[in-house]
Amino acid sequence: MENTRRSFLKKMTAAGVGAAGLAMAGTASATTVAGSPEPQKKKTAGKDDGKLRFGFIGTGSRCHEHINNVLAIPGNKIVAICDIQQGPIDRTLKHIAKFNVDAPKVYKGGEREFEKMLNNEEFDCVIIASPWEWHVPMSVAAMKAGVPYVGVEVSAANTLEECWDLVNVSEATGSHLNIMENVCYRRDCMAALNMVREGLFGELLHGGCGYEHDLREVKFNDGKNYNYVPGSGDLRMGPTAFAEAQWRTQHSVTRNGDIYPTHGIGPIANCMDINRGNRFLSLSAMATQSRGLHKFIVDNGGENHPLAKVRFNLGDIVTSMIKCANGQTIIVTHDTNSPRPYSLGFRVQGTEGLWMNDGNHVYVQGKSKPHRWDDSDEWFKKYDHKLWAQLDAQAKEAGHGGMDFIMMYDLIDAIKNKKPAPMDCYDAAAWSAISGLSEMSIARGGALVDFPDFTRGQWIHRKPAFGM
């Protein structure tokens, strides 16, 4: 691990390239916006030593991935970190020390300690990697405190009210909210986006995507290790568990909908120019029965295990269908409680061909052999996105196959050049709204529900910007 980190830094320096922790106790409340807050005076980027000043709220494993990339790109420093638990703070300080940089200030203790950090320090960017229920309160507080760029982990919001909070406060303060959706920077997704923009698939008709990821060993653990290893110890969720099992599993108890849609919908939304010449119009969702989590408890802890009494509300497979203003349909699947290999199920289909990432298939009419799939690798080599072509050597040793690095590089480029956020408040709201809308539709027996226009009509005239 250490050798990998050092070689990563060495390559980055030579090139001259300019999960969430914070296990909060209690429940965060949505920050409903009443009126328009006065825009805060923005601080000059790179004050004093010319370096961009970063802060982190939430110091779990996801925070560490972001720290790796922030410190690997020259010209950045970490001013302060915040968490309520000493363990994650200690691990993060130890992690930062490996980079031979100054230790950041530490804010810890109460649930609202992040507000002290935001009010006391000056930042160019604050990254929020906390449990989901705190994403909006922390993002809103950062924007109101005058932080020019706020990066919020996914999903950005859980309810429609929270989605509007993000949009309203970003518009009122002028702060740039960026949803940290790393899959939008996945190499194949960016190559497919290039193919769409080059017209290889013709006029788009349909998209498919989702989050199909067996998370049973993340939603439960033994209180010491991130993943539960069957037979290794007690089975826990909630306050006595470790990392995401402390808070994430509870969403499967209380909610029934697509509670984690952005990994899938983000890349498809970019392909379909959502919020920039197109928008989501309506949604209908259905869920299967809930079986997987209870079965996992019984299989590993027995029928008499205390958690066997927990009633889980989340259907094992949630399917949402979306209609777009320009006519396209999109199917989004959420499947995290079943035994299965990982897949985001991407499908981009138009009048001239399609890409399906399960099987790595591409078919382009007039170029592929009739009724035969091409291997997508050959197409993606030809249409590789310039960000990947430029940064391949530096990105390949970063997290999640390099897409975390490309995402941070793009955000830092926006900060340095005072450009809009690559994936802005309207993207954060529209992509995250699938959660609240799918819950609403399922509760109504699959009824069609209208999709809010978070841009308030601006989508008609806005131009595609991501990865341009």
Side-chain angles (χ1 to χ4, degrees):
M1 181 68 71
E2 179 64 15
N3 289 335
T4 298
R5 184 193 66 78
R6 285 179 177 171
S7 61
F8 181 32
L9 280 177
K10 185 176 181 180
K11 288 184 178 182
M12 287 304 308
T13 303
V17 178
L22 196 64
M24 291 291 188
T27 303
S29 58
T31 309
T32 304
V33 179
S36 298
E38 288 295 323
Q40 298 291 316
K41 182 179 180 181
K42 301 297 183 290
K43 289 86 172 178
T44 303
K47 182 181 178 182
D48 300 329
D49 59 6
K51 292 185 177 182
L52 296 182
R53 300 155 297 181
F54 279 79
F56 289 88
I57 305 177
T59 59
S61 59
R62 190 67 186 130
C63 171
H64 292 192
E65 294 279 2
H66 291 314
I67 286 172
N68 289 343
N69 296 316
V70 166
L71 294 181
I73 298 173
N76 307 309
K77 64 182 181 181
I78 300 175
V79 173
I81 61 174
C82 179
D83 207 311
I84 67 167
Q85 293 186 338
Q86 188 65 48
I89 289 174
D90 291 341
R91 287 188 289 271
T92 299
L93 290 174
K94 185 177 180 180
H95 185 75
I96 293 173
K98 296 176 183 179
F99 291 84
N100 296 318
V101 296
D102 293 338
K105 293 183 181 179
V106 174
Y107 289 81
K108 61 182 180 180
E111 290 184 353
R112 314 303 297 195
E113 196 71 16
F114 66 91
E115 293 174 338
K116 295 181 182 178
M117 185 187 90
L118 294 169
N119 291 327
N120 291 346
E121 310 296 337
E122 290 189 349
F123 300 102
D124 298 296
C125 181
V126 168
I127 304 294
I128 296 165
S130 59
W132 299 341
E133 57 267 30
W134 284 93
H135 285 181
V136 170
M138 290 172 175
S139 296
V140 166
M143 289 188 286
K144 287 185 175 181
V147 178
Y149 290 82
V150 178
V152 59
E153 264 297 339
V154 297
S155 292
N158 301 294
T159 67
L160 294 184
E161 180 185 35
E162 288 185 334
C163 291
W164 278 114
D165 286 346
L166 294 177
V167 170
N168 290 336
V169 176
S170 180
E171 289 181 340
T173 61
S175 289
H176 298 281
L177 181 84
N178 188 75
I179 180 171
M180 305 297 285
E181 184 39 78
N182 59 353
V183 180
C184 288
Y185 293 90
R186 211 170 83 170
R187 195 165 197 163
D188 57 349
C189 291
M190 297 196 83
L193 178 61
N194 271 348
M195 294 179 70
V196 168
R197 288 174 173 169
E198 290 290 330
L200 269 295
F201 301 136
E203 180 185 358
L204 291 192
L205 301 169
H206 178 72
C209 62
Y211 189 63
E212 300 171 290
H213 189 185
D214 183 358
L215 292 180
R216 295 172 300 164
E217 293 175 5
V218 172
K219 294 184 179 184
F220 304 100
N221 57 45
D222 61 2
K224 299 177 182 178
N225 299 293
Y226 190 90
N227 290 90
Y228 179 75
V229 178
S232 64
D234 196 10
L235 198 66
R236 302 183 184 186
M237 58 172 277
T240 64
F242 180 73
E244 292 185 43
Q246 290 185 330
W247 55 269
R248 186 168 187 160
T249 322
Q250 186 63 26
H251 288 268
S252 299
V253 176
T254 59
R255 303 171 65 188
N256 189 18
D258 189 332
I259 61 177
Y260 200 63
T262 69
H263 279 341
I265 199 61
I268 297 297
N270 287 331
C271 286
M272 293 191 176
D273 295 332
I274 298 301
N275 294 328
R276 296 166 179 85
N278 197 6
R279 80 174 186 92
F280 300 139
L281 280 183
S282 57
L283 177 148
S284 175
M286 292 187 180
T288 70
Q289 65 271 48
S290 179
R291 295 291 184 268
L293 296 184
H294 175 76
K295 185 177 185 301
F296 186 80
I297 293 168
V298 172
D299 288 348
N300 290 280
E303 294 182 356
N304 295 323
H305 193 283
L307 294 183
K309 299 178 182 179
V310 176
R311 295 177 61 88
F312 294 97
N313 196 36
L314 179 65
D316 287 352
I317 302 171
V318 176
T319 305
S320 301
M321 186 166 69
I322 299 172
K323 182 68 174 179
C324 300
N326 290 349
Q328 301 92 348
T329 56
I330 305 171
I331 293 178
V332 188
T333 304
H334 181 269
D335 175 3
T336 62
N337 298 341
S338 307
R340 57 159 301 123
Y342 176 85
S343 173
L344 298 185
F346 287 120
R347 175 175 173 177
V348 178
Q349 186 166 4
T351 56
E352 298 293 327
L354 72 161
W355 165 53
M356 297 177 63
N357 84 292
D358 284 343
N360 298 315
H361 295 318
V362 166
Y363 180 81
V364 178
Q365 184 172 264
K367 298 181 183 295
S368 304
K369 292 181 180 180
H371 307 291
R372 298 293 180 99
W373 292 111
D374 293 337
D375 189 310
S376 61
D377 287 347
E378 294 304 313
W379 283 96
F380 290 167
K381 287 177 184 177
K382 183 178 180 180
Y383 290 93
D384 196 22
H385 195 277
K386 63 180 182 180
L387 277 174
W388 275 98
Q390 173 188 351
L391 302 170
D392 179 42
Q394 300 94 300
K396 66 173 51 176
E397 293 188 49
H400 290 101
M403 59 187 177
D404 284 346
F405 174 81
I406 303 291
M407 175 176 66
M408 188 62 73
Y409 179 92
D410 204 26
L411 176 58
I412 289 173
D413 177 70
I415 299 170
K416 287 182 176 179
N417 293 289
K418 297 181 173 58
K419 297 189 295 186
M423 301 172 288
D424 62 20
C425 65
Y426 306 114
D427 299 321
W431 304 350
S432 300
I434 293 171
S435 290
L437 290 171
S438 63
E439 291 183 77
M440 187 185 304
S441 177
I442 289 169
R444 298 176 182 178
L448 195 68
V449 293
D450 291 333
F451 225 105
D453 174 13
F454 295 103
T455 74
R456 298 182 178 92
Q458 296 179 69
W459 67 273
I460 298 173
H461 305 292
R462 299 178 85 218
K463 302 298 182 184
F466 178 81
M468 298 295 286

